[in-house]
Amino acid sequence: MAVSTQNTAAVPRVPNFLSRARSVLSAWISQPQQVATVAPSSSAVTKCIAHRTCIREASLVVELGPGMGGTTQSLLQQMRSDSRLLAIEKTDSFIPSLQAIDDPRLRVQCGDAVDLSEHLATHGLGTPDVVVSGIPFSSVPPAVAQQIATSIHENLRSGGVFIAYQMRSTVRNFAEPAFGSADVDRVWWNLPPLKVFTWTR
Ligand SMILES: C[S@@+](CC[C@H](N)C(=O)[O-])C[C@H]1O[C@@H](n2cnc3c(N)ncnc32)[C@H](O)[C@@H]1O
């Protein structure tokens, strides 16, 4: 991206961790159920999600609930130069920070994960190899959570991977009927400690 030296105020900047933390806390105060965390994920979580063969080999990754973009940047660091990442975020106040990530592989969609099929069609990106989700399945109404999990299963390619990082295990109730049992990693170095569930379709 060309950057003008005369009008730097207009150039969007990717916020640092502290600035992201302030924004996440303030969004959590106004929408606690939706934002579902008081701080951005730690580097231990982002590494557990992104440092994987399935991410390095993927043509298309979909990220549900990218927040301020820390997880998004970690995924992009691992992904191929010819790959694509579609990031779908429901909280409006996080969108400018996601749009400030200057990477031609990234598409940012303000919207609801429940409309995953429509968002994929709008962007014409094809079938995802991996879906990564930070969506709080324990605080989403159960019928909506089930719709999201079913849609992830329907949209993933055969052999594709679904990764969900969560405080609780509620996601299992919605994902396991279609995906079967999960592999579970625990990341203690995070506020709060998280479980990372992995399913292969
Ligand atoms: C636990 S935070 C994860 C944020 C970030 N990826 C991180 O790890 O720091 C969950 C994110 O999911 C978003 N979210 C919640 N429900 C959503 C939905 N139905 N569709 C899309 N995003 C949603 C929230 O706005 C929030 O950004």
Side-chain angles (χ1 to χ4, degrees):
M1 184 172 72
V3 177
S4 158
T5 50
Q6 290 178 331
N7 188 17
T8 48
V11 177
R13 301 181 71 127
V14 179
N16 62 26
F17 186 86
L18 271 182
S19 160
R20 283 192 279 124
R22 273 196 296 271
S23 302
V24 169
L25 184 60
S26 132
W28 176 79
I29 288 166
S30 52
Q31 291 169 292
Q33 298 280 88
Q34 182 169 305
V35 174
T37 187
V38 292
S41 288
S42 67
S43 61
V45 171
T46 63
K47 276 186 189 152
C48 179
I49 294 164
H51 289 206
R52 295 173 181 233
T53 305
C54 64
I55 300 292
R56 292 192 194 102
E57 292 181 347
S59 298
L60 175 62
V61 175
V62 174
E63 187 182 11
L64 306 175
M68 290 286 289
T71 40
T72 314
Q73 286 174 288
S74 294
L75 289 167
L76 286 166
Q77 278 162 16
Q78 298 300 315
M79 288 169 64
R80 287 175 3 204
S81 57
D82 63 344
S83 60
R84 293 283 179 274
L85 173 58
L86 174 63
I88 302 172
E89 174 55 59
K90 192 172 178 181
T91 304
D92 302 8
S93 60
F94 293 154
I95 298 297
S97 164
L98 291 164
Q99 287 173 334
I101 300 172
D102 184 18
D103 191 312
R105 297 171 296 169
L106 175 64
R107 307 270 180 96
V108 176
Q109 174 68 53
C110 183
D112 197 313
V114 81
D115 301 319
L116 173 60
S117 303
E118 288 79 356
H119 296 315
L120 282 166
T122 302
H123 290 271
L125 290 171
T127 307
D129 303 294
V130 183
V131 174
V132 175
S133 176
I135 287 175
F137 279 87
S138 50
S139 56
V140 172
V144 177
Q146 187 58 70
Q147 247 181 296
I148 295 172
T150 303
S151 174
I152 292 168
H153 186 262
E154 284 171 359
N155 280 289
L156 263 178
R157 73 162 168 80
S158 175
V161 177
F162 172 33
I163 303 166
Y165 52 103
Q166 305 278 299
M167 216 163 47
R168 302 197 174 82
S169 301
T170 320
V171 64
R172 291 189 119 137
N173 304 337
F174 307 111
E176 293 196 345
F179 281 97
S181 62
D183 287 335
V184 189
D185 294 296
R186 282 168 195 272
V187 183
W188 300 105
W189 187 251
N190 192 66
L191 185 68
L194 293 182
K195 294 175 192 151
V196 181
F197 298 91
T198 305
W199 287 275
T200 302
R201 186 184 166 197

